[in-house]
Amino acid sequence: MGIFDLFRQIESGSGSGLQGKLTWLVVGLGNIGLEYENTRHNAGFMAVEQLAQTCGGDFRQIKFRSDCGEAMVGGVRCLLMKPTTYMNNSGEAVAAAANFYKISPEHVLVMYDDISLAPGKLRIRRKGSAGGHNGIKSIIALLGTEEFPRIRVGVGAKPTPQYDLADWVLSKFTPEEQTALQPALEQAAEAASLIVQDKMDQAMNRFSH
């Protein structure tokens, strides 16, 4: 038995108090640091934090270049992840965890911001292109496929076409937008629970706008 096989055996053992084999990664995308808190680009972080709150998980572990922790989501053992690589290199963290646990891309659920949706709206897809999102570009490049499920959280469009995109996604939500966003984060957590139970159609029908 190699050293990584031993680590996998320890990680998937009963010492965590969680049942079953770890079979899903649930990843929220964002940027670490106080200056990025409550910014549009951190909607993925906010969604996976809401999921952790809902299912009693936490992010006390630091591994795979992420803040992470295991949790039972809808009765399924998952690793919840917030990559600390910064957005543009998110794939480095995701691929490391997927390779370690031998999890297929179809079981890597990614939650992230979408400027084409208003705050409070969600869009759920089984797979798809990056659509110009650098975090998703990185994950596609390092997983080698576009075929992983995702929950896109609306953060609102740029106020004018001339507005710089980077400035917009790194801007903070207004209080009104935060009010609209909170129910969407709760719905994203519910949708994630359905998706890891292989109820993608149900998640899409209930929560995708």
Side-chain angles (χ1 to χ4, degrees):
M1 178 183 291
I3 187 66
F4 285 112
D5 294 314
L6 179 60
F7 283 152
R8 286 190 194 98
Q9 188 178 74
I10 293 169
E11 288 278 349
S12 60
S14 59
S16 65
L18 301 179
Q19 297 179 342
K21 182 182 177 184
L22 195 153
T23 55
W24 277 83
L25 306 181
V26 183
V27 186
L29 301 188
N31 290 305
I32 58 169
L34 290 175
E35 67 269 36
Y36 296 111
E37 286 187 3
N38 196 38
T39 60
R40 298 172 199 277
H41 228 14
N42 273 29
F45 274 8
M46 297 163 77
V48 79
E49 287 164 359
Q50 179 67 48
L51 176 61
Q53 182 179 329
T54 300
C55 65
D58 57 50
F59 298 93
R60 295 179 185 174
Q61 299 177 50
I62 301 173
K63 56 185 179 181
F64 310 119
R65 299 184 68 189
S66 298
D67 293 333
C68 56
E70 293 184 26
M72 298 300 293
V73 180
V76 178
R77 187 173 172 185
C78 302
L79 184 72
L80 309 185
M81 299 179 64
K82 295 193 298 181
T84 58
T85 55
Y86 292 100
M87 182 66 82
N88 292 1
N89 296 314
S90 299
E92 296 175 8
V94 175
N99 290 336
F100 183 83
Y101 289 111
K102 299 182 178 177
I103 291 176
S104 68
E106 292 82 5
H107 277 207
V108 177
L109 173 59
V110 183
M111 302 196 278
Y112 63 101
D113 58 294
D114 188 339
I115 63 169
S116 70
L117 300 172
K121 301 292 186 181
L122 299 178
R123 189 162 290 155
I124 300 170
R125 293 290 183 266
R126 299 177 189 276
K127 59 184 179 180
S129 68
H133 193 285
N134 288 335
I136 297 299
K137 285 181 186 176
S138 175
I139 294 172
I140 289 172
L142 287 162
L143 288 185
T145 181
E146 296 180 348
E147 300 204 6
F148 54 89
R150 65 280 306 266
I151 300 174
R152 290 149 56 183
V153 181
V155 299
K158 296 189 297 180
T160 66
Q162 295 77 26
Y163 202 103
D164 184 77
L165 178 59
D167 288 343
W168 178 244
V169 296
L170 296 179
S171 67
K172 294 185 182 292
F173 290 106
T174 67
E176 293 78 16
E177 288 172 330
Q178 279 188 282
T179 299
L181 183 66
Q182 184 55 39
L185 298 176
E186 294 168 6
Q187 290 174 5
E190 290 185 61
S193 178
L194 290 170
I195 291 167
V196 301
Q197 296 176 71
D198 296 321
K199 298 177 180 178
M200 172 61 84
D201 289 341
Q202 189 175 338
M204 293 174 72
N205 291 337
R206 286 184 60 187
F207 300 115
S208 195
H209 300 287

